[in-house]
Amino acid sequence: MSGRPLRGALCLTAGLAAWHIGPAATWLPGVRAALPALGGAGDPRHVALTFDDGPDPRSARDFLRTLERLDVHATFFLLGSRLHRHPGIGRALMEHGHELAVHGWEHERPWLPRLRRDIRDVARAVETVHRVGGRRPLWYRPPYGILTGGRWEAARRSGLRPVLWTAWGRDWTPWARPDTVLAELGASLRGGGTVLLHDSDRMSAEGSWRAALGALPDLVAACRAAGLTVGPLAEHGRAGPSLRPPSPGRGDAARPVQLRGPAPR
């Protein structure tokens, strides 16, 4: 192949690569900041609490008990394959007032374009959440937080709104502790933010979910001390579930959250 056909093939390949991986730039904080709806910006008087990678029978009861004791509801981004195996946990989350969302079917890395498979897998996850929870989910967060052209198109076809995060706790690492989770969150958490934590260690260091669990009481207390409510994404935007950030009114600017967790042991 030479000349014009070769240039055409190269252009086609380059275009496909850009379509596939270009949206992954939204993983970068600076890019998310320029796309507040995708990043999870909402009502500046509210903080959205979200969890990824469940459901997990080893940790679900602990999270349910702690959130109930704190009188807080959250959004759980669930893997369809795991929800299919543990539908009782999904029903328990709903019964306790939590919101179910889609994290994909499996927790796979998106190295290669796979549009048909992305569409199929997201649709399967939506159907499973709908069947277990009794209502269609609104939100989609891709595995690893990496959007691709295929994942974005799959979400669009299933009627889902992609949402990433504004603050995370790095709770998936082997050295994570409640105090380190709070320190990571405190670096960027403000009113109107979306918190990313994990209620399972299936894709993380063994036992790391305990760091997120242990950080919850101080996280919620600090948000409330700042005059902020904590809840699911469904309650995060005055402009409705599209998560368009509301225009701050007088005295309604995003408030910082002063997180001071337990001293490291």
Side-chain angles (χ1 to χ4, degrees):
M1 183 182 294
S2 61
R4 185 176 300 173
L6 177 58
R7 288 195 298 272
L10 291 174
C11 287
L12 180 62
T13 301
L16 178 61
W19 170 84
H20 172 63
I21 205 63
T26 56
W27 190 90
L28 300 171
V31 178
R32 290 201 308 276
L35 300 168
L38 177 62
D43 189 325
R45 299 166 300 185
H46 185 266
V47 168
L49 180 61
T50 72
F51 297 95
D52 285 7
D53 293 357
D56 190 333
R58 299 174 303 174
S59 56
R61 183 175 299 176
D62 295 277
F63 278 91
L64 283 170
R65 286 176 174 172
T66 298
L67 291 169
E68 184 174 24
R69 177 169 55 85
L70 296 171
D71 192 24
V72 168
H73 297 140
T75 299
F76 287 81
F77 285 89
L78 306 176
L79 293 167
S81 60
R82 296 194 57 76
L83 183 59
H84 179 71
R85 291 194 291 272
H86 306 289
I89 299 177
R91 287 192 288 268
L93 290 170
M94 289 291 295
E95 289 167 1
H96 282 74
H98 302 294
E99 182 180 33
L100 308 189
V102 173
H103 198 38
W105 185 255
E106 298 282 1
H107 205 285
E108 297 179 331
R109 297 183 184 274
W111 302 134
L112 298 174
R114 35 169 251 175
L115 177 59
R116 291 184 180 179
R117 186 172 172 184
D118 285 335
I119 292 171
R120 181 197 67 196
D121 286 358
V122 170
R124 289 174 71 194
V126 168
E127 189 278 330
T128 303
V129 170
H130 190 187
R131 173 172 48 81
V132 171
R135 64 182 66 173
R136 287 188 64 83
L138 293 174
W139 318 109
Y140 171 65
R141 179 178 291 153
Y144 301 102
I146 299 176
L147 276 170
T148 63
R151 288 176 169 182
W152 211 316
E153 177 64 14
R156 186 190 69 80
R157 293 196 185 193
S158 288
L160 299 175
R161 299 174 177 87
V163 178
L164 299 179
W165 61 89
T166 66
W168 64 10
R170 291 189 183 272
D171 53 327
W172 62 88
T173 64
W175 53 83
R177 304 183 307 271
D179 61 287
T180 67
V181 170
L182 292 168
E184 287 286 347
L185 289 170
S188 52
L189 183 58
R190 300 289 186 274
T194 291
V195 169
L196 164 61
L197 294 172
H198 297 77
D199 61 317
S200 172
D201 63 7
R202 292 293 183 178
M203 303 304 302
S204 308
E206 184 175 358
S208 57
W209 61 267
R210 298 183 186 277
L213 182 72
L216 285 177
D218 287 302
L219 170 61
V220 172
C223 289
R224 288 173 173 165
L228 305 171
T229 59
V230 181
L233 283 166
E235 300 173 0
H236 194 43
R238 288 187 309 218
S242 63
L243 275 186
R244 295 189 301 275
S247 300
R250 187 172 182 178
D252 207 22
R255 303 165 189 170
V257 178
Q258 301 297 322
L259 287 167
R260 296 184 178 90
R265 295 180 181 178

